Amino acid sequence: LFMGAVSTPIFDENVLHKTAKDVLALNLTMDKMVPEIASRLNKIYPGHIHDGPHEWIFNNAGGAMGAMTILHASISEYVIIFGTPVGTEGHTGRFMADDYFIILEGEQWAFYAGNFSRDVYKPGDMHHLPLGYAQQYKMPEHCWALEYARGSIPSMLPFGVADSLFSTLDFLTLFKTFSIYTQFVIKELMQMKI
C-alpha cells in the first residue's frame, strides 16, 4: 500500500536534546515551554510536528500515571511531552525501541535490577533507555519531559494501554489515545513516512 515509504528516522535525539536545553535557558513555565518546544521543532522538522493546539490525555502504563501531548507519531517514531505535577513511579516497559527522556522540569530517578543506587536526571539531562532494557523509575513530586522513541512503536502500544484496559478502565482515555495516534500515523503515511 505504501510502497516507497521512508522508514529512516527523521528525528535526531541530539537535536531534540539541544532544542530542549535551548528552551530551558529561557526560564519559561511549563505552559509556555510546551508551545515553544513544539514551534522550534516544527521549524526543524516541518510537516512532522504538531505545534498546536495541544490536547492532553492521561497515560497509565507500568503502574505509573501522567499526562501527555503528542507532537509526532508514526510507526517508527514518536515525540511527546509527558509528565505529572504530582509525581508517579512504575516500570519503564521493555521495548523494541530506544527511548530518550529529556527532563524539562523536576527530576526522574531510575535504576536497573541489580543496581544498589539510583541514577538521577535533572532539567537538561537526557535519560536513554536502550532497546530491550527495562528499569524502575520515579518522578518524585513532579516532572515533565520531552520524550522520543525510535523503533517499533506499535509494539509499545500493549504496554501503553494495558493499565487502562485492565486496571483503571478509563476507556475514554484509551479511545482518545488510539484516535490521536491513528490520525498522526495516517498523516505521516500520507507523507510516505513509516
Side-chain angles (χ1 to χ4, degrees):
L1 177 62
F2 290 96
M3 298 296 282
V6 177
S7 64
T8 304
I10 291 176
F11 298 95
D12 180 325
E13 65 275 10
N14 297 311
V15 172
L16 296 170
H17 191 197
K18 181 184 182 315
T19 302
K21 287 170 79 172
D22 289 348
V23 172
L24 279 170
L26 300 175
N27 293 314
L28 301 172
T29 57
M30 277 308 301
D31 63 319
K32 302 284 190 278
M33 201 180 307
V34 171
E36 184 64 26
I37 288 170
S39 175
R40 288 179 183 223
L41 290 178
N42 193 42
K43 289 175 185 159
I44 297 167
Y45 303 106
H48 295 285
I49 291 289
H50 177 68
D51 66 352
H54 297 104
E55 183 171 358
W56 288 89
I57 52 178
F58 281 127
N59 178 262
N60 293 277
M65 181 176 183
M68 67 176 176
T69 188
I70 301 173
L71 303 182
H72 171 89
S74 64
I75 293 172
S76 60
E77 297 176 286
Y78 74 68
V79 179
I80 66 173
I81 294 181
F82 172 82
T84 173
V86 297
T88 193
E89 70 178 297
H91 190 287
T92 59
R94 188 180 306 272
F95 306 116
M96 294 174 10
D98 281 286
D99 189 84
Y100 301 88
F101 207 72
I102 304 160
I103 307 302
L104 302 172
E105 183 179 284
E107 290 185 359
Q108 183 195 43
W109 303 346
F111 89 102
Y112 290 102
N115 288 3
F116 295 99
S117 61
R118 64 182 177 222
D119 296 321
V120 177
Y121 301 93
K122 297 183 179 202
D125 292 343
M126 181 165 64
H127 175 195
H128 175 214
L129 181 66
L131 179 147
Y133 285 83
Q135 293 183 300
Q136 179 186 359
Y137 77 97
K138 181 174 185 168
M139 300 162 90
E141 294 184 23
H142 73 284
C143 182
W144 295 96
L146 176 64
E147 182 177 0
Y148 168 55
R150 178 177 57 232
S152 176
I153 304 308
S155 73
M156 300 173 82
L157 291 175
F159 174 83
V161 302
D163 282 3
S164 292
L165 273 174
F166 301 111
S167 176
T168 67
L169 306 179
D170 185 353
F171 299 113
L172 179 59
T173 292
L174 196 61
F175 174 78
K176 284 182 177 181
T177 301
F178 276 109
S179 175
I180 294 168
Y181 177 71
T182 301
Q183 289 172 33
F184 278 73
V185 168
I186 290 170
K187 177 183 174 245
E188 292 300 320
L189 287 171
M190 298 304 287
Q191 298 181 80
M192 303 308 286
K193 161 71 170 95
I194 293 179

